[in-house]
Amino acid sequence: MFDPTLSNTLFIASDADIDPDSTPAISKRLLLVSQPNSYRIAPYLAAAQQMGLEVLIGSRGEHSLTTEVNQGLHIDLDDHDAALSEILEEARHKPFAGIIGSDDSTVELAAHAASLLNLPHNPPRAARLTRRKDMSRAHLMLAGCPVPTHCLVDLGKPLADQTAGLPWPCVLKPLHMSASRGVIRVNDEEEFNDACARIRSIIAGSGDDFERTHVLVEEYIDGVEVAYEGFLHEGELHTLTVFDKPDPMVGPYFEETIYVTPSTLDADTLEMIKLRVQQACTAFGLRTGPVHAELRVNAENAWLLEVASRTIGGDCARTMDNGSSKSLEQLTVSLAIGEPVKPASIEGSRGVMMIPIRQAGLLRRVEGILAAQKVPHVEKIDITISEGHELVPLPEGNQYLGFIFAQADTPRQVTAALRQAHEKLTFVTAPIIKLESA
């Protein structure tokens, strides 16, 4: 069982940490509520199978090319009442041992279902607060947590009436998007108006009516940015690791590139980061499962930018693996079924570069991969966008070209290796000519 005395150590689950006598029988079943194209499906499947669990995927997947999605439980992720009815009916035929929402868009539905089936869960309202930036900011501010000064802007009303008193510079954000999509820093009213027009087109086809017509505006906070990874067990927060982001993130777009751990911040600052995340989780009412948070840290405070009830995005969780074990997903599954495992710690420093898209066009080929793989300390390079795919940079885009992983003795060595490997890569693109009908 989980040992709370180990909560300040970086943990990585391994097969050896799971007692064979307590391994769940194959008859136990996990429901993974997920978007049909989520990259998190594969690692969750692998983790659950290593733990002896059967997995059913709940998604809008009747036309999916992924077998597990196509053969899973087909539900309408946008109609929670109908989806819950389908989940409850499925549970009557064969019970679930746990339910996980893989992404921001599914954590609330998963929490509802787990609550109705009396399985480990977060309150559905708490899950909803974590996925809507405006609700999250307002709730944390009322709870006394340090968040940027912020307001909502209605894109359907005259902007000139809504800019009075705004702090310059400020940052505009869609209410529900991830991977820095649509996030723009502006320095004056003219840039503000241009950014609103740009964001309006980005959010036009997604979310509900409110999310398509409103934008969050918040003051820009200078400082270093970090990502906090941890988990909750019975409401208590336990740290897995804190990632430094060594590349400055000052805008106008907030392209995330390098994550490296362990953090080089001092112990007092790291303790303050954990305290702020715990305060946010308590304010939301979160009780169990993974926690991913983003903070800006300066001499004044550690400012909460995001607190999500899910694992870290992209393929960054692979920096926390131990051999073939999908450690972070194993830990998440174990919490979902009420049988938390004790992960094992790792040594040294690890890091990942999310390879940014910096030029629009059609990807023709990637050159220099072999040279990049030979850079000392580089473990692996994954190019995740295939040739012939359209590349869309920020702020309209929300993808990365791939990931570079490195491991060494120190964060400085890891960061240097990631930069050197990236410099050896060349992404050859071709222009895209789009024809519009009259």
Side-chain angles (χ1 to χ4, degrees), residues 112-437:
H112 268 294
S115 174
L116 293 173
L117 293 172
N118 198 29
L119 297 171
H121 66 281
N122 284 312
R125 182 173 179 271
R128 178 166 176 74
L129 286 172
T130 65
R131 65 169 296 269
R132 270 279 297 264
K133 292 182 174 65
D134 57 326
M135 293 181 179
S136 171
R137 290 287 190 278
H139 194 83
L140 293 179
M141 181 187 68
L142 291 174
C145 299
V147 295
T149 302
H150 59 278
C151 66
L152 274 174
V153 166
D154 187 340
L155 298 179
K157 296 180 179 179
L159 295 178
D161 299 336
Q162 304 179 73
T163 57
L166 287 180
W168 307 114
C170 59
V171 181
L172 283 68
K173 298 181 176 182
L175 304 184
H176 62 296
M177 291 184 171
S178 59
S180 299
R181 189 182 185 197
V183 180
I184 305 175
R185 169 180 164 165
V186 299
N187 299 301
D188 52 42
E189 188 171 350
E190 181 180 359
E191 290 185 4
F192 179 90
N193 293 335
D194 291 342
C196 284
R198 197 165 183 179
I199 294 175
R200 184 184 286 110
S201 64
I202 294 173
I203 64 178
S206 66
D208 58 29
D209 290 340
F210 191 87
E211 292 168 344
R212 289 192 293 268
T213 55
H214 290 77
V215 172
L216 180 69
V217 181
E218 60 186 30
E219 67 172 322
Y220 170 79
I221 293 180
D222 199 14
V224 298
E225 191 160 317
V226 299
Y228 175 95
E229 307 305 322
F231 64 96
L232 289 162
H233 180 58
E234 297 180 349
E236 182 180 355
L237 183 67
H238 303 274
T239 301
L240 291 171
T241 194
V242 176
F243 287 100
D244 285 342
K245 302 181 184 182
D247 285 339
M249 301 184 68
V250 296
Y253 316 124
F254 294 87
E255 178 182 85
E256 294 198 294
T257 51
I258 295 177
Y259 277 33
V260 61
T261 185
S263 172
T264 57
L265 296 174
D266 62 81
D268 288 343
T269 302
L270 292 174
E271 186 60 33
M272 179 173 63
I273 289 170
K274 180 184 178 183
L275 174 63
R276 295 292 176 253
V277 179
Q278 176 73 77
Q279 288 175 335
C281 292
T282 302
F284 286 148
L286 295 173
R287 297 286 303 164
T288 187
V291 174
H292 167 76
E294 308 272 348
L295 303 94
R296 279 283 172 111
V297 182
N298 56 25
E300 186 178 352
N301 215 325
W303 302 87
L304 295 159
L305 302 182
E306 176 186 1
V307 178
S309 54
R310 56 162 173 81
T311 58
I312 188 173
D315 216 16
C316 300
R318 303 288 67 81
T319 61
M320 303 168 69
D321 288 346
N322 181 22
S324 62
S325 175
K326 305 300 184 185
S327 56
L328 188 56
E329 288 80 13
Q330 280 192 358
L331 177 59
T332 302
V333 171
S334 74
L335 291 164
I337 65 175
E339 300 176 6
V341 298
K342 186 183 85 172
S345 61
I346 62 171
E347 298 179 354
S349 177
R350 295 190 178 194
V352 58
M353 170 178 270
M354 295 162 276
I355 305 173
I357 295 174
R358 290 178 173 157
Q359 181 176 347
L362 197 71
L363 180 62
R364 298 299 301 271
R365 63 185 181 275
V366 182
E367 300 175 347
I369 294 179
L370 291 178
Q373 289 175 333
K374 293 180 180 179
V375 172
H377 308 305
V378 168
E379 291 185 304
K380 183 174 61 170
I381 298 176
D382 287 338
I383 304 299
T384 54
I385 292 184
S386 57
E387 296 177 4
H389 188 95
E390 181 181 0
L391 304 182
V392 182
L394 287 175
E396 285 76 15
N398 66 341
Q399 291 182 301
Y400 301 105
L401 282 156
F403 302 87
I404 306 173
F405 298 90
Q407 182 175 3
D409 294 330
T410 67
R412 183 189 295 268
Q413 290 174 317
V414 169
T415 302
L418 294 171
R419 295 195 198 282
Q420 186 179 351
H422 183 240
E423 289 174 357
K424 294 183 179 298
L425 297 176
T426 300
F427 299 92
V428 181
T429 61
I432 295 177
I433 301 174
K434 296 185 177 180
L435 301 178
E436 296 184 3
S437 59

